[in-house]
Structure formats: structure tokens, C-alpha cells
Amino acid sequence: MAAAPMVFIYKLPPSEMKSTVAKQYTRTVLRMALERTTREFGPFELHMAINEMNETRQVVEMEKGGGLVNTVSLPARKDLDKRLVAVRIPKDFGVLGFRVFLIRAEDQPRFDAIRTVADLQAIRIGQGTTWVDGKILEDAGLQVVRGSDFEGLFQMLQEKRFDAFSRGVYEAGRELEARQASLVDLAIEKGLLLYYPMPGYYWFPNTPDGKLRARRVEAGLTAMVADGTLKRLFLQEYGLVLKQLDLSRRRLLKIDNSQLGPDEPLDNPAFWLNPAELGRK
């Protein structure tokens, strides 16, 4: 009698659901990791959870174990370490931590003068009320102006209630293009690249079954890192937009991520995006 398949019911955070590239990439990586481990762990089924859930509910449902979801994709946070089990291989090479700014185009000369994190402290940066990124920026000594409505943040920038809207490198262009007709004064800032380590992990329930799923995904991802499959897939999905932003030529400003725990693999270069490599032929 054939072994019953290991069923993975996954959910993505709203930020990934809004991006076709991020959504497809996260699912493809998970599927490939499971395919690579079929011999050791047996067959599998992969389904997306159909219920609408914000990140808070995703974590609660994972802890409850009610069957709505048993796999989530979320950025690393030390508070999650106490509740769930992470596969500590950044599926996205930490691309979440590379940020560019949406600004008012007329302000570009002001940003041209910024060379250090200390210079950046004069800039008011817009963030969502509940976003963990806002706390990271504040803990680094940067000014943060919060807004409760995502669409309203673009209006707040245009109305000069803050000076820059920090966005992920794969978010900025898509978001600006979608609103270009109504927000004609806004542009992507041309010279800066803010960075804080923010690995995106697959997380599982802290149960024997959840730990088994985590071991399987870890084994698959480890193999994909070792033979270059994960890097090739990442560049296939993200390479064009990263090159369009010319990351390798931007002035890199680094800050710490105060929300990370002590167990992150920050010293393993195989796990992290190096913007300088994107400028190589």
C-alpha cells in the first residue's frame, strides 16, 4: 500500500500576495524543495489555504493546529521564534531587507547629498502603523511617520507629511506604476539603497508533525542552495527588476534589524543577496 502523501497547506503574507512575482516565487521554491525530498520523505500534496488571513491570524491558526494552514512564509522575527519553527534558510536571499525610497521627484537633490545613516536621520520616512519595519527604522535612530491606510501613505508623501516612503526593491516600481496617473509628482529615488537583514523563512507549527515538515523543507532547500538551483531561480524571477534599479551602483546604507533573534545565519554568504554581484556581466 502506497504511503499517504504529506499535505502542505500554505499561506503567504499580504505583501507577497500583492506581488505576482513574489507569490509565484515562494510557491515554486516550496514545491521544488518538496520534490527534491520525495525519495526520503515520500509523496506530498501542496495547496494554498483558501481562507483570508492577515499575518497575526496565520500565526494563531498555526498554533491552534485546526488544519486551515500548516505552512507560512513570513520574515524572521524573534517573537515568532517562541511560537513557531523556522527553516533558517532565506528562501529569497534576504531581498526583503533591501529598500529604496519613493519620494517627491523635486526632492532628488536633497537625497543626492545623503552619504551616511546619520545624514538619513534628517529624512522623515513613511511606514504603516503595524509594520515591523517601522520599529527597525526607529531603533536605528531614523524618523518614522506612521499611517494606518496603505493607499493613504502615498497621499501623505505627495502632501509632504513625510519625505520618503520606504519600499522593497520589488515593490517600488510596481506600486508607483499602478498609481502614476494620480501621483504624478512621485518617483523612485535614484541613488540610495537602505539595507537591514530581513530573511524570509518558511515557518511550521511547533509540534512533532510541524517539525517533520520543517526538516523536509530544510533538506530540500539545502540541496537547492548547494547546487545553485535556488540562486538561479531567484535571479530568474527577481534579476530584471533588481538590475532596473541599478542596485550595484547605489550608495548602500546599512542598519541593524532589532527584531531578529540570536540564531539567524547572518555569517553565511551563500544565503544572502550581494548587490555588487548584480552589476557583473
Side-chain angles (χ1 to χ4, degrees):
M1 186 168 127
M6 187 180 292
V7 179
F8 289 76
I9 305 173
Y10 74 98
K11 193 66 176 176
L12 308 182
S15 59
E16 291 187 17
M17 288 298 292
K18 292 176 184 176
S19 168
T20 300
V21 170
K23 181 166 59 177
Q24 291 178 344
Y25 175 80
T26 298
R27 184 187 189 281
T28 299
V29 170
L30 180 57
R31 177 179 52 78
M32 291 181 69
L34 297 176
E35 289 174 345
R36 293 288 287 267
T37 53
T38 298
R39 177 173 295 182
E40 179 181 359
F41 290 89
F44 70 90
E45 293 181 7
L46 180 60
H47 307 283
M48 177 179 282
I50 60 174
N51 300 72
E52 290 298 323
M53 305 180 204
N54 60 24
E55 292 183 20
T56 299
R57 188 184 171 198
Q58 288 180 30
V59 175
V60 170
E61 290 295 335
M62 293 270 283
E63 291 179 309
K64 286 170 52 179
L68 293 181
V69 60
N70 61 26
T71 308
V72 296
S73 167
L74 293 172
R77 298 201 315 264
K78 56 188 174 185
D79 63 298
L80 290 183
D81 292 340
K82 302 173 184 177
R83 305 173 66 182
L84 303 176
V85 174
V87 174
R88 295 188 191 281
I89 299 175
K91 62 182 175 57
D92 51 13
F93 295 92
V95 71
L96 287 170
F98 288 92
R99 319 295 288 185
V100 293
F101 297 119
L102 297 181
I103 65 169
R104 296 177 293 276
E106 65 185 16
D107 287 346
Q108 183 62 53
R110 183 181 180 189
F111 287 84
D112 289 340
I114 295 175
R115 291 291 185 274
T116 66
V117 173
D119 295 338
L120 193 61
Q121 290 174 350
I123 299 297
R124 298 170 300 166
I125 302 174
Q127 289 284 276
T129 302
T130 62
W131 298 356
V132 68
D133 302 80
K135 176 64 171 169
I136 294 169
L137 299 178
E138 288 175 335
D139 288 345
L142 302 178
Q143 295 186 64
V144 174
V145 177
R146 297 181 183 270
S148 59
D149 178 69
F150 181 69
E151 290 299 327
L153 286 163
F154 295 92
Q155 291 293 337
M156 290 171 69
L157 174 58
Q158 183 155 274
E159 295 168 4
K160 301 187 177 182
R161 294 173 62 184
F162 53 78
D163 308 305
F165 188 10
S166 175
R167 306 304 298 137
V169 291
Y170 64 84
E171 298 170 326
R174 167 179 52 84
E175 293 172 354
L176 185 61
E177 182 179 1
R179 298 163 179 84
Q180 195 75 67
S182 58
L183 302 174
V184 295
D185 298 329
L186 303 188
I188 298 175
E189 195 280 326
K190 298 177 181 178
L192 297 175
L193 181 62
L194 179 65
Y195 173 72
Y196 39 89
M198 181 172 274
Y201 292 149
Y202 295 108
W203 297 81
F204 300 88
N206 189 12
T207 63
D209 183 67
K211 291 175 181 178
L212 176 62
R213 295 172 197 279
R215 287 199 300 273
R216 176 170 187 162
V217 172
E218 182 176 21
L221 289 179
T222 298
M224 292 170 68
V225 171
D227 68 6
T229 299
L230 189 62
K231 178 60 72 69
R232 287 192 296 271
L233 182 61
F234 174 81
L235 292 176
Q236 175 183 319
E237 295 296 334
Y238 289 98
L240 178 60
V241 68
L242 299 183
K243 287 186 177 181
Q244 287 173 338
L245 288 170
D246 209 7
L247 298 192
S248 64
R249 298 185 184 277
R250 287 175 174 262
R251 299 185 300 283
L252 184 63
L253 303 180
K254 296 182 179 181
I255 62 175
D256 292 332
N257 183 344
S258 59
Q259 302 306 296
L260 293 184
D263 299 324
E264 310 305 341
L266 301 180
D267 296 329
N268 187 339
F271 287 170
W272 302 95
L273 172 66
N274 180 359
E277 294 179 352
L278 298 174
R280 298 174 186 169
K281 294 183 179 179

